[in-house]
Amino acid sequence: MTDHSTGGAWDLIVTPWHLDEHIPAFPVPVGATEVIPPALPEGPVAARMNRLHQAAADVVAQAARPLVLSGDCPTARAAVAGIQRRHQDLAVVWLDAHGDFNTPAITASGYIGGMALAMLTGRTPGLFDDPLDLRPIPDTSVVLADARDLDPAEDDALTTSQVRRVPADPAAITAALGDLGPIPVYLHLDIDVVDGAQLPGARFPSGPGPSLNRIEECLAAICATADVVAAYLACAWLPEHVGDPATRDTIDRLTRALGAELTWREPAG
């Protein structure tokens, strides 16, 4: 595949919320565009999330090469909807300890955050009152790496899908990308893919898994071999830990593997 390691500067975007909850302490790099959460109506969580996603999609659509730092995974639907305004076809590489492939029909917990990849592949119609003009990504254009922590029904859904599942290994991921051909890539990483022992304060630690160093290698390999037109880092730490020095160091390392160098704003107060 072509070497894309110098694929251009990143446009940093911050979406500081988890589902419908604003995270005031979310770290914001210097030069980043922070999506200001709009006023949210009373009512269902999905309706409130949709208002946030509308704002995020508009900001992403204006960025040449967006790198989104977010507090959750579902805002990925906004990122992809924004990217699709410029790219007709898109592949998705999704690195996550979880499959995020639940739907309202099969979820055991009802947690909307566990449906993010299912949203992108068109499996959650009617969940949001505004589809954002999001075009479903075909299963055959999705590479899911790791996904070591799955609910039983979610595992079944992935097994019967055509999503390409691979370990969090640079060679395995780039081989799967090679099978997709020269298609622009949206690269999504949930930090909980990293071994839980290396993620103090994570919302959903998933026990033993690939090291932070291995995930850095995966990101660098993807950027070197694919046309990564957008990337997304789900910074799923608990609110009281999202601004910790250790958290910022992890974000620094992951974004550096993508070719971005961050400088942090000093926290307010």
Side-chain angles (χ1 to χ4, degrees):
M1 297 180 71
T2 303
D3 185 346
H4 296 277
S5 57
T6 57
W10 291 104
D11 299 303
L12 293 171
I13 297 169
V14 172
T15 58
W17 55 73
H18 179 80
L19 303 187
D20 64 336
E21 298 178 1
H22 182 222
I23 306 173
F26 197 94
V28 180
V30 172
T33 299
E34 182 175 358
V35 181
I36 305 302
L40 301 180
E42 297 294 330
V45 170
R48 291 164 57 84
M49 290 172 64
N50 203 72
R51 188 72 62 88
L52 296 168
H53 294 173
Q54 290 167 342
D58 289 342
V59 173
V60 169
Q62 296 174 35
R65 192 174 184 233
L67 170 53
V68 180
L69 305 181
S70 185
D72 67 11
C73 286
T75 305
R77 68 185 286 267
V80 170
I83 299 160
Q84 286 179 330
R85 298 182 195 178
R86 295 192 307 280
H87 296 279
Q88 182 64 34
D89 296 316
L90 200 66
V92 170
V93 179
W94 193 280
L95 294 90
D96 200 319
H98 307 95
D100 286 4
F101 215 64
N102 279 303
T103 67
I106 67 172
T107 178
S109 65
Y111 176 57
I112 295 178
M115 306 180 192
L117 184 56
M119 295 172 192
L120 296 190
T121 59
R123 287 175 165 81
T124 59
L127 179 60
F128 296 100
D129 55 11
D130 181 353
L132 303 179
D133 294 325
L134 176 67
R135 300 188 299 276
I137 304 294
D139 287 4
T140 51
S141 295
V142 177
V143 177
L144 173 61
D146 192 58
R148 63 187 182 270
D149 187 359
L150 299 173
D151 295 331
E154 179 186 30
D155 196 1
D156 292 342
L158 278 166
T159 298
T160 57
S161 77
Q162 297 185 72
V163 169
R164 299 164 186 259
R165 295 182 61 185
V166 297
D169 172 79
I173 296 172
T174 54
L177 280 169
D179 292 339
L180 298 183
I183 181 172
V185 168
Y186 163 77
L187 172 55
H188 183 104
L189 170 72
D190 188 332
I191 55 96
D192 65 26
V193 71
V194 176
D195 189 297
Q198 293 187 267
L199 286 177
R203 282 183 187 263
F204 305 107
S206 294
S211 67
L212 178 56
N213 184 65
R214 173 50 61 93
I215 296 302
E216 290 175 283
E217 292 171 350
C218 289
L219 297 180
I222 295 165
C223 288
T225 57
D227 180 15
V228 180
V229 297
Y232 185 109
L233 184 61
C235 303
W237 279 275
L238 293 164
E240 61 269 28
H241 291 283
V242 74
D244 290 350
T247 296
R248 292 190 181 198
D249 181 63
T250 298
I251 297 172
D252 277 336
R253 289 182 59 176
L254 293 170
T255 53
R256 193 176 299 121
L258 295 170
E261 291 287 343
L262 304 187
T263 302
W264 294 102
R265 296 182 192 172
E266 289 301 319

